Amino acid sequence: MGRFFLQRLLTAVPILLMVSLITFGLIHMVPGDPSAALGGLSATPAELAQLRHDLGLDRSLWVQLWLYYAGLLHGDLGRSILLGQGVAQATVQRLPVTLSLSLYALVITLLLGLATGIVGALRQNTLADQAVMMFAMFGISVPSFWLALLMIILFAVKLGWLPTGGYVPFTESPLGWLRTATMPAISLALLQVGLLARITRSTMLETLRQDFIRTARAKGLPGRMVVGKHALANALIPITTVVGIVITLLVSGSVVTETVFSIPGIGQLLTSAILNRDYPLVQGGLLIMTALLVLVNIGIDLCYALLDPRVRYDAR
Amino acid sequence: MPGEAAVLDAAPVRGRSPAAETLGRLLHHRLFVSGLVLFGVILAAAVLAPVIAPADPTRIAMRQKFLPPGAGHLFGTDNLGRSLWSRVIWGAQLSVLMGLAVVGLNAVFGTAVGALAGYYRRLDNVLMRINDALMAFPAILLAIGITAVLGPSTGDVILALAIVYIPRTARIVRSSVIVVREMEYVQAARACGAGDWRILRRHILPNSMAPLIVQLSFLFAYAVLTEATLSFLGLGAVPPTPTWGNIMAEGRQYMVEAPWIIAIPGVALMVTVLGLNMLGDGLRDVLDPRLRVQQ
Amino acid sequence: MTLLEVRNVTTAFATGQGEIRAVEDVSFSLDAGEFLGIVGESGSGKSVTALTVMGLLPRPPARVAAGAVLFAGQDLVALPEARLRTVRGPGIAMVFQEPMTSLNPVFTIGEQVIETLRVHERLSPRAQRARAVEMLQKVGIPSPERRLSDYPHQLSGGQRQRVMLAIALACRPRLLIADEPTTALDVTIQAQILDLLMDLRDELGMAILMITHNMGVIAETADRVLVMYAGRVVESAPVDRLFERPAHPYTRGLLDCVPSLAADRPRLVAIPGLQPDPAHRPPGCPYAPRCPIAIAECSRAVPPLDPVAPGHAAACIRADRAA
C-alpha cells in the first residue's frame, strides 16, 4: 500500500514539471510586450522599464526559467501586480473559501448523483428511470452561471430567502455560511450530479449483470444487501474515477460561480487577475489549482486501491 | 429527415450499405432524433440569421430600451434598446461557427497527434507526456489562462479551446488506433508490403472513426458552453459583437427589471448543448455500443 | 421421500419478437439424498430449469407461465421473494459454471462464506468463523484458517469452485443444484470436484441436482438421469438403464457422441443438424427434423413422456421399436 502510494506520487513528478513549464510559457504567449499590455497607454518608458524589470522580462529566457524554478522551490510564485502581495500568499489565503464551497458541492453531487443513478439502474426502463435520465441530461446541459443567475432572481430577489451573494466563513457562523454557500453549491453541483448519475446508472446496470450478483442472490441475501453491498462495492471502483473528474470540474467551475455570487475565493481572484492582466497572479493561481488537483487525483488512485483488492495486491 | 428514411426504406432489394444501415438506426433512435431537432433549430437560426434577423444587433435605440418580449420585438430589447431577437440569432451564428472551428481543429490535429502516438511507439511516449500535462490542467482554467494572455477575441478563444481539447481528442484516437493496429487485417496489409502512411490512412483511421465522431459531438457541446462561459466572464468576443455569454453578462445588472435579457440567451445556450449531448448519446449508442450509457 | 417435485413447469421469456418458451411442460421429482443428473445440449433448457427452481431468473423478461415447483411441500413459484430468500441457502443452494466470475472480487473468501451464515443462522461470530473453516476444510481447501482473509483473485479456478461449494454448503442445504460445476475446469480438477460432490452428498445427506452436457460425468455420478431437448424432458431413467437401453433416439445420439474405449463401438458420431430455434419450434416432436427414425406421424403432435419400463420413461412414439 505504501509502495503503491509512492509509485503514484512519483508519476506525478514529471506531470507537475510539465505543468509548471507550460504555466511559465504562458506569459511568453502574450503578443508583443507583456509589460506594454500591462502598463497601458499612459505608461512612460521609465515606468515600462521598471515593470519589465519587476516581471523579470529584461533577462534572458534561461535566467527567467532558473529564477522561476528557484522561486517555486521556495514557495515563491512572484508578486501580484494588482494586490502588491505575494501570489502564493494571496492564493492560499483564499483557498479555504473555494475548498469549502467545492466540498459542499461535492457532498451534494455524491448524494444526489449516486442516489439517482442507483434508482435509475434498479428501475431500468421505468418512468422513474426515464425521469432520472432526463434530469441527468438537463444537468449536464444547463450552463451553471445561468442557473446561478436564475436562482438569484428567484430565491434572493423574488422570494428573499437567501442573500444574492457574499460569503460568511463557516468558522464565523455556520448558519451564515449555509445561507451564503447553498445557492452557489447547488448551481455548481448540478452539472456534476448529471454526470455522476449517468455513470452510476450505467455502471450499476453493468455490475448487476455480473455472475457474482447471481451468487449473492442464490445465497438468499436480501435485496438491499445484494445491491447495497455486493453491487455497490464493485460499481464504486469505476465511479471513483469519475469522482476524480467531478472534483476537477467542481474546483474549476468555482471560478465562474464565485464571480456570479461575489464570493472571495480563488476563482474570483483569478477572474479579477485576468481582467486586470495581472499575469503573475494568473500564472500562480493556475499552477496552484492544477497542482492541487494532481494531488487530488493521487488521492483518488489511493481510494481505488482501497476499494479494489486486485489493485492493492498487484502493487505489492 | 423523414424523406431520407423513406428513401432508405424504399431500397431494400439491393441490400443496404453499412452507412445507410447506420443512418437508418440513428433515425430510429429517439434521443438522437430529439437532439437533431433541437440542434437543427439553432443551426437553422445561425444559417438564416441575415434573413430572419435583418435588424442590426448592435443598433442602439434608447427610446425602446427594456421592452419586454412581445409583438414588436419578439424577444424584447435590452438596456440600450437593441433587439434581443437579432442579438440572440447572431449570437447563435457566432456560437455555431466557433464550435465548428474548435471541432474542425480537433478533428485535424487531435486525429494527427492521436494517430501518430498510437502508431509510432517511439513518438507515443513524448506526445503522451505533453498530453498528460495539458490534461492535468482543468479545462476551463487553462482556457481562461490562455485567453487571458492572448487577449479577448473570437480567434483567441477558438485557439484556446483547441489547445485545451486537442489532448483529450488525441487520447481517444490514440487508444482506438492502438487497438486497430494489432488487428489481423492490419498485420496482413503490413505483410503485403503496404507503407505506414497507406496503412494509417486506408486501414487504421477509418476503423478508429466511431469514438472520434462521438467525442466530437460532445466536444461541440463543451466548446459552445465554454465559449459562453468565457464571454460571460468578459474573456470572449468584445462587445458590441453579440455572444450569448456577453449578452447575459450585460443583462446581469438589469436582471430584476428585465430578466428576459438573461433568460432568452440562456435557453438558447441550453437548447444547443442539450441537443448536442443528445446527438452524442445517440451516436455513441449506435456507433460505439461498448461505451453505451443507456441500455 | 420426495424432496423436490417439479410439476408441468413452463418458463417463458419476453423478447422483441414475442414470448419464447425456454422450458416447456417439464416435470420431474427428486428424493432426499438422491443424485439426479440433467443432460442436454446448450439451449435445451437445463439451466433455465435450475434457475426456475431457485427463482433466480430476472422477472421480467422471464416468467413461470405454468406449473409448480414443490420443495418440501411448498410451492416456490407462488412464494413471495422474501420467503423464497429463506429457502435459498438452507433449503436449496447452488453452484455455477463460472468459478472465475461467480465470486465477488472485492470481498474476502471468509466474508463470502460467513455472510450466508449471518443471514440465515443465529451464530456467534466465533461459531460463524469456525463453521466457515470447517466448510473450507470439507471442500478440500488447504490451511483454511489462512485462506479466510484471501481474495478470490489469489486462488486458482479449481480452488474458487471449491470455495463456491463451501459457500453453498455453509447452511447445510437439503438440495444442492450444480450447474455445469466442472465445465470450466481442467480434466484432473474436474474429477476431484466430482468426487468431492459425491463424498459430500454421502456425508451431509443432501440431494444433488447436477446439470451437464457431459454424458461421461453423468455416468460416474448420477443415480438417475433426465435428458432434455428443446425445452422438454425427452427421457428419464436410472443411470445404468439409460446407458444400457436408451429409449429415445436423441439419447442414443448423445451416447454415440461419447468417445469410448470399447472396441465394438464405432468411432465418434455427431448428431447431424441443430436444435430448433425456440421461436419456431416444429409442431410435433421437436427432435423429428434430426431424428434418423422419424415417421410422418412424429410431426403431428408432441409425444407425451410415457413409461417404457418401470422407472423409465421416454417421449417418443417409436420408443418401443427404438429400444
Side-chain angles (χ1 to χ4, degrees):
Chain A
M1 198 67 188
R3 197 166 144 198
F4 177 78
F5 179 62
L6 272 180
Q7 272 176 359
R8 193 56 195 81
L9 214 54
L10 279 178
T11 59
V13 172
I15 293 195
L16 283 175
L17 263 174
M18 281 296 293
V19 163
S20 54
L21 204 60
I22 293 170
T23 319
F24 169 78
L26 215 51
I27 197 165
H28 296 278
M29 281 173 72
V30 179
D33 184 352
S35 58
L38 264 172
L41 294 171
S42 57
T44 64
E47 281 169 343
L48 279 183
Q50 180 63 39
L51 204 54
R52 285 173 62 80
H53 181 74
D54 289 348
L55 288 172
L57 291 172
D58 52 351
R59 295 180 231 214
S60 82
L61 199 62
W62 293 111
V63 175
Q64 286 182 43
L65 193 63
W66 166 253
L67 290 175
Y68 172 73
Y69 275 110
L72 273 188
L73 285 179
H74 294 99
D76 178 8
L77 295 170
R79 289 189 82 72
S80 158
I81 300 163
L82 186 64
L83 305 167
Q85 191 186 14
V87 167
Q89 195 196 349
T91 313
V92 170
Q93 240 170 34
R94 288 163 175 81
L95 202 57
V97 179
T98 303
L99 287 187
S100 75
L101 182 61
S102 304
L103 203 64
Y104 190 2
L106 182 63
V107 171
I108 296 176
T109 305
L110 289 179
L111 289 180
L112 221 58
L114 288 177
T116 50
I118 291 172
V119 167
L122 292 182
R123 304 260 178 281
Q124 194 193 355
N125 296 332
T126 62
L127 216 62
D129 180 27
Q130 280 171 0
V132 163
M133 289 315 286
M134 224 36 226
F135 166 74
M137 184 49 108
F138 269 92
I140 61 167
S141 305
V142 175
S144 72
F145 65 90
W146 183 64
L147 181 71
L149 292 174
L150 294 187
M151 285 173 75
I152 291 176
I153 295 178
L154 181 62
F155 296 110
V157 179
K158 290 265 177 346
L159 297 171
W161 291 352
L162 294 164
T164 55
Y167 179 77
V168 179
F170 187 82
T171 47
E172 221 165 80
S173 150
L175 193 70
W177 177 79
L178 213 59
R179 280 173 57 80
T180 49
T182 297
M183 278 205 293
I186 292 176
S187 71
L188 188 54
L190 196 68
L191 168 86
Q192 282 66 237
V193 171
L195 197 69
L196 194 62
R198 281 159 61 96
I199 296 290
T200 303
R201 177 180 176 276
S202 62
T203 313
M204 276 302 271
L205 280 177
E206 182 65 36
T207 310
L208 287 170
R209 273 197 291 269
Q210 301 291 316
D211 288 337
F212 58 77
I213 294 297
R214 192 180 54 187
T215 307
R217 294 184 59 215
K219 284 178 182 179
L221 301 190
R224 65 190 143 77
M225 258 176 97
V226 174
V227 174
K229 181 177 172 185
H230 284 265
L232 199 59
N234 279 274
L236 277 180
I237 297 166
I239 289 173
T240 303
T241 316
V242 180
V243 171
I245 298 172
V246 161
I247 294 176
T248 306
L249 288 172
L250 284 176
V251 173
S252 57
S254 67
V255 173
V256 187
T257 308
E258 285 174 10
T259 311
V260 176
F261 288 98
S262 327
I263 293 172
I266 296 184
Q268 205 196 33
L269 184 73
L270 264 181
T271 324
S272 56
I274 288 157
L275 296 176
N276 292 292
R277 308 192 146 244
D278 188 344
Y279 296 124
L281 193 51
V282 174
Q283 275 181 314
L286 188 58
L287 186 60
I288 289 179
M289 294 273 251
T290 306
L292 197 72
L293 290 171
V294 168
L295 292 181
V296 164
N297 277 304
I298 294 178
I300 289 289
D301 281 359
L302 281 184
C303 291
Y304 229 85
L306 284 178
L307 288 169
D308 191 346
R310 287 160 296 187
V311 173
R312 203 149 69 220
Y313 284 84
D314 281 353
R316 261 189 191 165
Chain B
M1 279 304 133
E4 271 183 70
V7 171
L8 289 172
D9 286 336
V13 187
R14 275 178 288 163
R16 290 174 167 195
S17 71
E21 176 85 24
T22 305
L23 192 62
R25 278 198 293 156
L26 279 174
L27 292 176
H28 280 102
H29 195 286
R30 260 190 12 224
L31 212 54
F32 180 83
V33 174
S34 319
L36 203 63
V37 170
L38 289 181
F39 185 61
V41 169
I42 301 294
L43 200 64
V47 172
L48 299 174
V51 183
I52 57 174
D56 181 353
T58 60
R59 206 198 60 189
I60 296 171
M62 289 309 281
R63 282 201 210 146
Q64 304 199 352
K65 67 178 182 180
F66 294 135
L67 290 180
H73 293 275
L74 203 54
F75 284 176
T77 60
D78 68 3
N79 55 315
L80 299 175
R82 295 174 294 195
S83 158
L84 213 57
W85 170 260
S86 279
R87 290 179 71 71
V88 170
I89 299 286
W90 287 95
Q93 190 178 63
L94 194 85
S95 282
V96 169
L97 286 176
M98 181 113 50
L100 279 177
V102 173
V103 166
L105 285 170
N106 261 275
V108 174
F109 292 100
T111 309
V113 174
L116 290 177
Y119 193 72
Y120 297 103
R121 287 165 211 245
R122 282 186 195 182
L123 269 176
D124 192 23
N125 234 321
V126 181
L127 288 176
M128 282 304 118
R129 287 298 80 74
I130 299 174
N131 238 18
D132 285 349
L134 280 169
M135 283 173 63
F137 288 98
I140 189 147
L141 287 192
L142 186 58
I144 286 176
I146 295 171
T147 37
V149 295
L150 292 178
S153 84
T154 312
D156 293 334
V157 170
I158 292 175
L159 187 63
L161 292 180
I163 294 175
V164 168
Y165 288 115
I166 283 173
R168 289 162 169 84
T169 309
R171 164 160 290 220
I172 286 169
V173 174
R174 170 183 173 269
S175 47
S176 55
V177 164
I178 286 178
V179 172
V180 178
R181 185 182 70 190
E182 303 302 331
M183 298 270 184
E184 290 202 3
Y185 64 89
V186 174
Q187 304 291 347
R190 185 171 297 133
C192 292
D196 282 354
W197 172 240
R198 189 185 156 80
I199 290 176
L200 259 176
R201 199 169 46 91
R202 295 292 302 275
H203 298 287
I204 293 186
L205 285 181
N207 288 295
S208 317
M209 276 300 112
L212 178 68
I213 292 170
V214 174
Q215 156 77 359
L216 289 180
S217 65
F218 288 124
L219 182 73
F220 205 139
Y222 302 147
V224 169
L225 196 55
T226 312
E227 184 277 325
T229 308
L230 289 176
S231 62
F232 177 76
L233 291 175
L235 294 167
V238 195
T241 307
T243 70
W244 290 339
N246 71 26
I247 297 172
M248 285 188 267
E250 286 182 54
R252 230 184 116 183
Q253 292 159 281
Y254 317 103
M255 66 184 183
V256 179
E257 55 275 40
W260 60 88
I261 306 179
I262 295 175
I264 293 170
V267 170
L269 177 56
M270 194 179 76
V271 167
T272 314
V273 177
L274 196 61
L276 286 165
N277 278 334
M278 287 175 162
L279 279 182
D281 268 11
L283 284 169
R284 179 176 47 198
D285 283 357
V286 173
L287 295 180
D288 206 358
R290 280 170 304 137
L291 301 170
R292 168 172 307 200
V293 166
Q294 289 185 296
Q295 242 3 83
Chain C
M1 190 197 86
T2 303
L3 179 64
L4 174 76
E5 190 184 351
V6 172
R7 231 186 249 165
N8 307 100
V9 161
T10 296
T11 303
F13 287 84
T15 71
Q17 287 86 46
E19 232 181 25
I20 284 178
R21 294 178 175 183
V23 164
E24 218 167 342
D25 197 21
V26 163
S27 299
F28 63 90
S29 67
L30 186 60
D31 287 342
E34 191 183 12
F35 197 133
L36 177 71
I38 300 185
V39 277
E41 296 167 76
S42 46
S44 61
K46 44 193 198 328
S47 285
V48 175
T49 304
L51 291 171
T52 303
V53 171
M54 287 294 279
L56 280 182
L57 288 168
R59 283 171 295 183
R63 100 193 150 90
V64 180
V69 175
L70 298 171
F71 178 75
Q74 251 181 335
D75 184 6
L76 301 185
V77 174
L79 223 51
E81 177 68 22
R83 294 274 305 285
L84 190 55
R85 226 175 49 223
T86 61
V87 175
R88 293 186 202 130
I92 314 176
M94 187 161 177
V95 288
F96 300 95
Q97 183 178 356
E98 306 83 5
M100 303 312 273
T101 51
S102 289
L103 289 168
N104 194 324
V106 308
F107 295 116
T108 60
I109 303 304
E111 171 61 21
Q112 295 189 59
V113 179
I114 289 171
E115 176 184 56
T116 322
L117 295 169
R118 216 182 284 137
V119 171
H120 294 293
E121 291 183 35
R122 291 180 169 273
L123 289 176
S124 69
R126 185 189 292 268
Q128 288 171 355
R129 211 183 133 83
R131 176 87 70 86
V133 171
E134 182 201 332
M135 287 303 160
L136 288 174
Q137 189 131 43
K138 267 202 199 338
V139 298
I141 297 272
S143 48
E145 282 280 354
R146 275 190 285 152
R147 290 284 92 83
L148 285 183
S149 53
D150 277 359
Y151 287 93
H153 73 273
Q154 295 168 294
L155 305 181
S156 68
Q159 279 186 315
R160 287 191 214 185
Q161 196 60 299
R162 287 173 195 268
V163 171
M164 280 298 292
L165 262 174
I167 291 173
L169 300 179
C171 295
R172 305 204 165 101
R174 297 161 74 186
L175 168 63
L176 175 72
I177 301 181
D179 186 357
E180 307 259 7
T182 58
T183 308
L185 303 174
D186 288 347
V187 183
T188 45
I189 313 283
Q190 264 187 33
Q192 290 172 12
I193 297 278
L194 290 176
D195 285 345
L196 179 63
L197 269 178
M198 290 197 294
D199 290 349
L200 289 169
R201 187 221 359 196
D202 296 340
E203 196 182 329
L204 303 174
M206 64 184 176
I208 295 183
L209 175 63
M210 186 164 79
I211 289 164
T212 179
H213 62 264
N214 188 331
M215 274 296 194
V217 166
I218 287 288
E220 282 170 40
T221 53
D223 302 326
R224 213 150 50 80
V225 189
L226 228 53
V227 181
M228 285 190 73
Y229 183 80
R232 289 174 181 276
V233 177
V234 294
E235 185 161 6
S236 154
V239 69
D240 298 338
R241 166 96 189 169
L242 188 89
F243 278 81
E244 276 161 29
R245 307 199 60 180
H248 198 284
Y250 175 64
T251 312
R252 288 213 308 272
L254 278 184
L255 290 173
D256 286 340
C257 292
V258 182
S260 171
L261 294 176
D264 59 333
R265 288 256 185 186
R267 60 191 177 82
L268 188 64
V269 186
I271 305 174
L274 291 169
Q275 275 188 102
D277 172 2
H280 307 100
R281 287 200 180 120
C285 171
Y287 189 59
R290 288 167 85 179
C291 183
I293 56 165
I295 52 175
E297 208 191 322
C298 290
S299 305
R300 261 177 228 135
V302 178
L305 189 63
D306 282 337
V308 291
H312 185 180
C316 178
I317 52 170
R318 304 198 65 199
D320 292 344
R321 273 150 291 170

